[in-house]
Amino acid sequence: MSDPNDLTDPADPAGTDAPTHPAYPVRTKRLSLRPVREDDLEAIYAHRSLPEVALYLPHEPHTRDVTQQTLERLISGEALATPGDWLGLAVENESGRVVGEVFLRREPDEPATGQVGFAFHPDVHGTGMATEAVTAALDIAFESFGWHRVIGICDVRNVASAALMRRIGMRHESVLRDGTFLKGAWCSDSVFAVLAGEWRKNAPSAQERAVDKVATTFLSAFTRREGEPVSLDAARAVLAPEAVIEFVAQDGQVTRMDVDEFLVPRQAFLNGSELTDFEEFEVSFSTVVVAGRALRSSLYHKHGVRDGVPFAGWGRQHFELAADASGDWLIRSLTWTDDPEVRN
């Protein structure tokens, strides 16, 4: 997400009138959203100070003073009177605890468009609260503010944020490869967007979500962290026994494998001493489902640590899937190509 700490856009003296705000708090099934206040300092500092929350944001974990300064800026721009301002909405659960924040930014170049961002305490991850809160924020953007288009931006490595934006119906539009230099390294960003006319109309179908789950299960099986042992049983479970896997080298040479020829050497490599950390995931993808069969094409990113040296790379892959008699989706074929130096 973009960072409301960085409010460097110049004021637009020709800006249009500020949007009409809803009556706060805005309530959902389990949550309430309302503008941040000075007395939110401790609750917001509780998650902004955590390294895992700041990991993919453009700032380091907050000190209390930095959180205080951020709140002051958000409160001063709450009315969104000037294009470029951020509205910070505190997200309260049923007990009144602030569990996170959702942000809406009025874009400086086109006031009828906006940007959404979000940050939540890790102990509510996996509860659906972030999805519920961001959905409510987009309702505000389109129904109260009357915006035409809203974008969301996240680091390509932030798969949780990307998955949330896809889940609520935002489409992936682009990857800004090495677009920003942050924390001593070049970072790539994924850009998502949704139009007012599309909102709540283009969420993935149940079949598409099922295919998403298979692809995520397959790729996440290859994750290794800090030298921990890796099992590829999850990857095997979503591969049809007769699946065909092909690797296409940069010179066009094709290596064809069956399931064991593909998985056995990769499990040995992942568990060896050479590669201590590894992760790969889809950054963008398209899925077509017809009559119990699916085709999925994606751009993927991979990164890790080999012999103590960090590496990263990109590639493309194509899955063919089919639903079995019980309705479970299995991968029937996989073709992929990537940079030779990061081939696993």
Side-chain angles (χ1 to χ4, degrees):
M1 55 165 278
S2 294
D3 181 27
N5 292 324
D6 181 16
L7 303 179
T8 56
D9 294 306
D12 179 6
T16 59
D17 293 339
T20 300
H21 289 249
Y24 296 116
V26 172
R27 300 188 185 279
T28 68
K29 182 177 180 180
R30 296 177 293 171
L31 306 170
S32 296
L33 280 68
R34 45 87 178 158
V36 295
R37 305 185 302 241
E38 291 182 2
D39 61 358
D40 292 324
L41 174 61
E42 294 304 322
I44 291 176
Y45 172 67
H47 63 259
R48 283 181 171 257
S49 61
L50 298 175
E52 57 265 45
V53 173
L55 181 61
Y56 297 124
L57 297 178
H59 58 74
E60 298 297 338
H62 271 196
T63 64
R64 186 174 278 97
D65 286 344
V66 171
T67 299
Q68 175 70 55
Q69 294 165 12
T70 301
L71 283 178
E72 290 172 358
R73 286 195 289 267
L74 288 170
I75 292 168
S76 69
E78 176 186 321
L80 297 179
T82 302
D85 282 349
W86 285 92
L87 168 65
L89 296 172
V91 179
E92 294 182 342
N93 65 12
E94 292 168 306
S95 68
R97 176 195 167 198
V98 174
V99 297
E101 304 160 87
V102 178
F103 312 101
L104 290 171
R105 183 193 193 213
R106 193 178 178 207
E107 291 294 89
D109 297 328
E110 176 46 74
T113 68
Q115 183 176 161
V116 66
F118 43 90
F120 287 84
H121 196 287
D123 65 9
V124 300
H125 290 176
T127 65
M129 288 187 182
T131 299
E132 191 173 326
V134 177
T135 298
L138 287 181
D139 284 340
I140 294 171
F142 292 122
E143 296 172 10
S144 297
F145 296 170
W147 286 349
H148 174 68
R149 168 181 161 90
V150 175
I151 67 168
I153 302 173
C154 68
D155 189 300
V156 295
R157 298 168 295 176
N158 192 346
V159 293
S161 290
L164 186 157
M165 288 188 278
R166 290 191 183 102
R167 191 160 55 245
I168 65 175
M170 300 182 77
R171 74 181 167 277
H172 185 265
E173 290 197 334
S174 63
V175 176
L176 308 178
R177 292 177 63 169
D178 286 357
T180 53
F181 190 80
L182 294 171
K183 301 180 181 178
W186 286 102
C187 301
S188 301
D189 292 318
S190 286
V191 180
F192 293 82
V194 62
L195 301 178
E198 300 169 332
W199 178 234
R200 291 188 176 271
K201 297 178 182 178
N202 61 342
S205 68
Q207 288 184 319
E208 289 171 331
R209 291 196 302 271
V211 172
D212 290 349
K213 184 177 181 180
V214 170
T216 299
T217 298
F218 178 79
L219 289 172
S220 62
F222 296 87
T223 301
R224 190 181 198 191
R225 302 196 188 282
E226 299 181 351
E228 290 295 316
V230 175
S231 169
L232 296 184
D233 289 348
R236 185 182 292 274
V238 295
L239 285 166
E242 70 280 9
V244 175
I245 299 100
E246 295 180 327
F247 172 71
V248 182
Q250 298 298 299
D251 62 4
Q253 182 176 350
V254 178
T255 301
R256 178 171 291 189
M257 297 158 273
D258 63 22
V259 171
D260 284 333
E261 290 169 333
F262 173 70
L263 291 179
V264 172
R266 279 159 182 78
Q267 180 158 319
F269 178 68
L270 285 166
N271 286 311
S273 58
E274 179 183 350
L275 192 70
T276 54
D277 289 87
F278 184 75
E279 182 181 22
E280 62 182 348
F281 47 86
E282 293 177 308
V283 174
S284 63
F285 57 82
S286 61
T287 303
V288 177
V289 181
V290 178
R293 301 181 70 85
L295 295 176
R296 185 182 187 91
S297 298
S298 63
L299 171 71
Y300 68 85
H301 181 65
K302 56 174 63 180
H303 63 94
V305 178
R306 177 189 291 160
D307 292 329
V309 179
F311 68 86
W314 299 80
R316 294 191 178 276
Q317 58 194 7
H318 306 277
F319 294 100
E320 180 184 354
L321 305 95
D324 64 15
S326 62
D328 294 329
W329 289 91
L330 294 175
I331 299 169
R332 303 294 299 271
S333 68
L334 163 64
T335 301
W336 93 97
T337 183
D338 61 15
D339 296 330
E341 66 268 19
V342 295
R343 188 173 67 193
N344 60 332

